[in-house]
């Protein structure tokens, strides 16, 4: 086991080590009425509790001129393994968004809720109410395992239920054990005589965030190759045989630093269902002990694997995992998008997948989505499921109740939005400006208007029904997994984007850089020609990403 020298470790490692298991001085900062912020070190620890300190960047200049501190606010993320919520839980989130947030909910690309605009004084009551609804914010951010993803729609087979149960088990198992969360937010009394312990994470937790997902072929709606650890279900004759294990995926990079890059996960073997948790624990422990704690840009599991090698990983795993890592079993994936509309499940219940543009649940003129979902939740029918593509499934609806759902959707004009092109239905965007402190450019607020212009190009070329994945991020950290988009945009500066092309439609090939620092005018000019050529010379049923590679465009 490699020991990182204390004097060489990053600043964040020292903050964790000296935090008393994530307590820091957060409690003191929350009670300070003279500022809307908390201390810098505490802001880093707060991520482990599920929140990022942010500020309204639209008002930066104005507040600076007025000699006021930035308008600090907090983003809060809610952990929901596999994205499945009850109507009661949805109503809690809907009400909290209005009471303490900015009036909207964001469905994330990891099947969790985000709330924005929470002021410091409202952070504790918000977290407490979420926990009272049997949800949690712990470990949705920070150097720990994040929300565990899983195909949220079990209509295809009983296997989906088995896999979802495993995803929940893994999610619960990898939550931090520190009592700090319960003391800070839920008013649990601290028992000093019983010391904190983190049997897996230890005092300094992981070097960086860690992401786990479960995938059930042929659908790759969790982007399995983008995760640090992925489990692909292998099904034979309707029975779950086990999982092909994939390691080392990750989307983030840093502009100008070639030592950072997006990476697809690598299949390393096959395990039986009862070996999922033991092999996951062994792999997480390897990253804990060998991940880079000096340079955080090199701290993700993908770099650990590339630095030491796959053979080394397998050998190290054999020493920590008492089970057997068997030969990789093949699988086939067809798409990494969602399937929209009504689908009947094996139990006779129905599941309706709704397109939610960029995952933002809000009411707009002529499209009252937030109100409609609240009214559906008030019916107490079935459940509500967040997908890995920022969409929403109204699930487990009995046959006799389908009409009730349809009536609500019609009343609030959810089904009356303009006809959606295949490109828009395959779109995703991160939040970016105005709240994300890492964003160089717009994303969520800009992509819909850009797609309006793209839609014209699609219609001119008869491509409006072609399914094409398009994703935009405001920085290269990859929150919307833009590296896996057939058409990807990464913000470089306000109004300027790098354009990437050529990822596969099923999520097993990264895209490549096509043009840099494009303005909107330049983006439209490039895409107009590309789509025109695609319409003329693309093969029947050929996906756009495959066309780009075949024609050697990138």
């Amino acid at each position: 086991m490699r020991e990182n020298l204390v004097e060489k470790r990053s600043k964040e490692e020292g903050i964790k080590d000296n935090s008393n298991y994530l307590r820091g001085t957060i409690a003191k900062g929350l009670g300070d009425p003279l500022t809307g912020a908390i201390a810098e070190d505490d802001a880093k620890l707060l991520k482990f509790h599920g929140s990022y300190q942010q500020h309204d960047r639209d008002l930066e200049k104005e507040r600076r001129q007025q000699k006021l501190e930035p308008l600090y606010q907090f983003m809060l993320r809610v952990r929901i393994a596999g994205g499945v919520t009850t109507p009661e839980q949805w109503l809690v989130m809907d009400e909290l968004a209005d009471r303490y947030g900015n009036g909207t909910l964001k469905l994330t690309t990891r099947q969790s809720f985000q709330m924005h605009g929470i002021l410091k004084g409202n952070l504790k009551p918000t977290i407490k109410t979420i926990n009272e609804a049997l949800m949690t914010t712990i470990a949705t951010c920070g150097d720990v395992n994040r929300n565990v993803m899983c195909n949220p729609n079990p209509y295809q087979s009983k296997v989906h239920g088995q896999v979802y149960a495993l995803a929940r088990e893994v999610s619960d198992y990898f939550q931090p054990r520190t009592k700090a969360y319960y003391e800070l937010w839920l008013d649990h009394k601290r028992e000093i005589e019983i010391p904190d312990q983190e049997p897996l994470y230890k005092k300094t937790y992981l070097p960086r965030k860690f992401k786990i997902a479960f995938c059930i072929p042929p659908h790759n709606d969790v982007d399995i190759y983008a995760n640090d650890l992925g489990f692909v279900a292998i099904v034979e004759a309707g029975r779950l045989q086990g999982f092909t294990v994939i390691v080392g995926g990750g989307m983030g990079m840093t502009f100008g630093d070639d030592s950072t890059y997006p990476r697809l996960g690598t299949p390393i073997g096959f395990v039986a269902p009862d070996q999922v948790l033991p092999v996951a624990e062994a792999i997480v422990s390897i990253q804990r002990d060998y991940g880079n704690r000096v340079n955080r840009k090199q701290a993700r599991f993908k770099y650990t694997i590339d630095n030491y090698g796959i053979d080394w990983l397998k050998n190290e795993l054999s020493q920590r995992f008492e089970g057997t890592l068997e030969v990789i079993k093949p699988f086939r994936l067809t798409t990494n998008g969602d399937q929209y509309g009504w689908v009947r499940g094996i139990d006779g219940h129905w599941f309706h997948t709704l397109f939610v543009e960029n995952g933002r649940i809000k009411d707009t003129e002529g499209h009252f989505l937030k109100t409609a979902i609240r009214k559906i939740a008030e019916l107490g029918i079935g459940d509500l499921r967040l997908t890995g593509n920022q969409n929403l499934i109204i699930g487990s609806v009995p046959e006799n109740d389908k009409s009730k759902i349809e009536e609500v959707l019609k009343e609030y004009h959810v089904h009356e939005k303009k006809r959606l092109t295949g490109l828009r239905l395959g779109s995703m965007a991160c939040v970016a400006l105005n709240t994300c402190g890492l964003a160089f450019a717009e994303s969520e607020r800009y992509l819909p208007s850009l797609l309006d212009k793209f839609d014209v190009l699609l219609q001119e070329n008869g491509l409006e029904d072609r399914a094409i994945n398009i994703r935009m991020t405001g920085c290269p950290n990859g929150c919307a997994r833009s590296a896996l988009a057939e058409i990807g945009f990464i913000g470089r500066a306000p109004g300027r984007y790098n354009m990437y092309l050529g990822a596969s439609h099923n999520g097993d090939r990264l895209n490549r850089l096509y043009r840099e620092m494009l303005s909107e005018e330049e983006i439209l000019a490039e895409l107009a020609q590309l789509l025109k050529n695609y319409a003329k010379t693309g093969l029947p049923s050929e996906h756009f990403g495959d066309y780009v590679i075949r024609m050697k465009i990138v």
Side-chain angles (χ1 to χ4, degrees), residues 22 48 79 138-148 166-178 182 198-201 205-206 210-214 229 231 275-288:
L22 307 181
F48 291 81
R79 186 184 186 98
I138 193 170
T140 52
C141 319
D143 301 342
V144 285
N145 175 60
R146 302 289 184 86
N147 193 49
V148 177
L166 275 171
R168 291 198 60 174
E169 182 181 3
V170 170
S171 178
D172 292 342
Y173 186 80
F174 285 111
Q175 285 190 26
R177 298 293 184 258
T178 175
Y182 306 96
E198 289 285 8
L200 175 60
Y201 291 128
Y205 297 84
L206 297 180
F210 198 91
K211 298 179 178 180
I212 300 176
F214 288 78
L229 175 58
F231 292 98
Q275 296 298 297
V276 164
L277 194 56
V279 79
E281 181 174 19
I283 288 171
V284 170
S285 75
I286 292 172
Q287 169 62 355
R288 176 198 65 205

Side-chain angles (χ1 to χ4, degrees), residues 44-86:
K44 295 181 183 299
L45 296 175
L46 191 66
K47 296 176 185 179
F48 291 81
H49 299 265
S51 182
Y52 278 80
Q53 179 173 286
Q54 302 177 333
H55 67 275
D56 190 332
R57 295 176 63 183
D58 287 347
L59 301 177
E60 259 181 318
K61 184 177 180 180
E62 176 185 337
R63 293 184 69 83
R64 189 163 53 245
Q65 290 173 341
Q66 296 175 4
K67 297 183 179 180
L68 297 172
E69 73 173 9
L71 183 56
Y72 287 110
Q73 52 190 265
F74 294 81
M75 179 271 280
L76 194 62
R77 195 175 286 154
V78 180
R79 186 184 186 98
I80 311 166
V84 181
T85 65
T86 66

Side-chain angles (χ1 to χ4, degrees), residues 193-238:
E193 65 278 7
I194 303 177
D196 277 282
Q197 291 185 350
E198 289 285 8
L200 175 60
Y201 291 128
K202 310 299 182 185
K203 281 190 71 177
T204 51
Y205 297 84
L206 297 180
R208 282 298 295 270
K209 60 187 175 184
F210 198 91
K211 298 179 178 180
I212 300 176
F214 288 78
C215 167
I216 307 168
H219 299 300
N220 185 22
D221 45 12
V222 299
D223 270 330
I224 196 71
Y225 289 101
N227 291 269
D228 296 274
L229 175 58
F231 292 98
V232 181
I234 304 299
V235 182
E236 297 176 5

Side-chain angles (χ1 to χ4, degrees), residues 26-268:
I26 294 175
K28 180 180 178 181
L30 291 173
D32 183 356
L34 299 180
T35 175
I38 60 175
E40 180 182 352
D41 287 1
D42 288 332
K44 295 181 183 299
L45 296 175
L46 191 66
K47 296 176 185 179
F48 291 81
H49 299 265
S51 182
Y52 278 80
Q53 179 173 286
Q54 302 177 333
H55 67 275
D56 190 332
R57 295 176 63 183
D58 287 347
L59 301 177
E60 259 181 318
K61 184 177 180 180
E62 176 185 337
R63 293 184 69 83
R64 189 163 53 245
Q65 290 173 341
Q66 296 175 4
K67 297 183 179 180
L68 297 172
E69 73 173 9
L71 183 56
Y72 287 110
Q73 52 190 265
F74 294 81
M75 179 271 280
L76 194 62
R77 195 175 286 154
V78 180
R79 186 184 186 98
I80 311 166
V84 181
T85 65
T86 66
E88 294 77 16
Q89 289 171 330
W90 183 279
L91 290 172
V92 168
M93 294 304 303
D94 180 272
E95 196 273 333
L96 286 174
D98 290 340
R99 191 196 313 174
Y100 296 131
N102 65 0
T104 73
L105 290 170
K106 173 81 169 180
L107 310 186
T108 79
T109 57
R110 292 203 67 79
Q111 299 179 293
S112 60
F113 288 111
Q114 278 184 189
M115 290 177 59
H116 295 89
I118 303 171
L119 300 180
K120 183 173 74 172
N122 294 330
L123 200 53
K124 182 172 180 176
T126 303
I127 293 177
K128 191 172 184 180
T129 303
I130 287 169
N131 277 266
E132 288 170 350
L134 303 181
M135 296 179 289
T136 185
T137 66
I138 193 170
T140 52
C141 319
D143 301 342
V144 285
N145 175 60
R146 302 289 184 86
N147 193 49
V148 177
M149 297 180 71
C150 179
N151 182 314
N153 198 340
Y155 68 84
Q156 294 167 313
S157 69
K158 293 181 179 178
V159 167
H160 284 69
Q162 294 175 261
V163 176
Y164 170 67
L166 275 171
R168 291 198 60 174
E169 182 181 3
V170 170
S171 178
D172 292 342
Y173 186 80
F174 285 111
Q175 285 190 26
R177 298 293 184 258
T178 175
K179 302 178 185 67
Y181 181 85
Y182 306 96
E183 296 165 10
L184 282 168
W185 312 109
L186 308 182
D187 294 323
H188 286 201
K189 183 179 179 181
R190 185 175 181 187
E191 301 179 43
I192 299 178
E193 65 278 7
I194 303 177
D196 277 282
Q197 291 185 350
E198 289 285 8
L200 175 60
Y201 291 128
K202 310 299 182 185
K203 281 190 71 177
T204 51
Y205 297 84
L206 297 180
R208 282 298 295 270
K209 60 187 175 184
F210 198 91
K211 298 179 178 180
I212 300 176
F214 288 78
C215 167
I216 307 168
H219 299 300
N220 185 22
D221 45 12
V222 299
D223 270 330
I224 196 71
Y225 289 101
N227 291 269
D228 296 274
L229 175 58
F231 292 98
V232 181
I234 304 299
V235 182
E236 297 176 5
R239 297 176 63 86
L240 178 64
Q241 303 300 308
F243 297 85
T244 289
V245 181
I246 296 177
V247 297
M251 296 291 98
M253 63 176 181
T254 300
F255 287 135
D257 185 349
D258 291 340
S259 69
T260 67
Y261 44 83
R263 185 189 192 278
L264 292 178
T266 303
I268 61 169

Side-chain angles (χ1 to χ4, degrees), residues 1-18:
M1 184 183 301
R2 186 185 68 178
E3 295 292 341
N4 288 310
L5 298 178
V6 172
E7 60 269 22
K8 290 185 177 180
R9 65 186 180 180
S10 68
K11 178 183 178 181
E12 285 80 1
E13 292 302 308
I15 292 171
K16 290 183 286 184
D17 197 9
N18 297 317

Side-chain angles (χ1 to χ4, degrees), residues 308-362:
Y308 286 88
I310 284 290
D311 290 340
W312 167 86
L313 176 68
K314 290 181 179 179
N315 180 64
E316 186 69 25
L317 182 58
S318 69
Q319 299 177 43
R320 301 178 185 229
F321 173 50
E322 295 182 358
T324 302
L325 194 64
E326 299 177 15
V327 176
I328 296 167
K329 293 196 176 184
F331 54 88
R332 178 175 177 268
L333 302 173
T334 59
T335 177
N336 64 348
D338 288 331
Q339 315 302 306
Y340 296 101
W342 284 106
V343 179
R344 192 178 187 206
I346 58 170
D347 60 357
H349 287 179
W350 288 83
F351 299 80
H352 190 341
T353 302
L354 285 175
F355 172 69
V356 180
E357 191 152 51
N358 299 327
R360 185 64 65 177
I361 301 290
K362 62 180 180 180

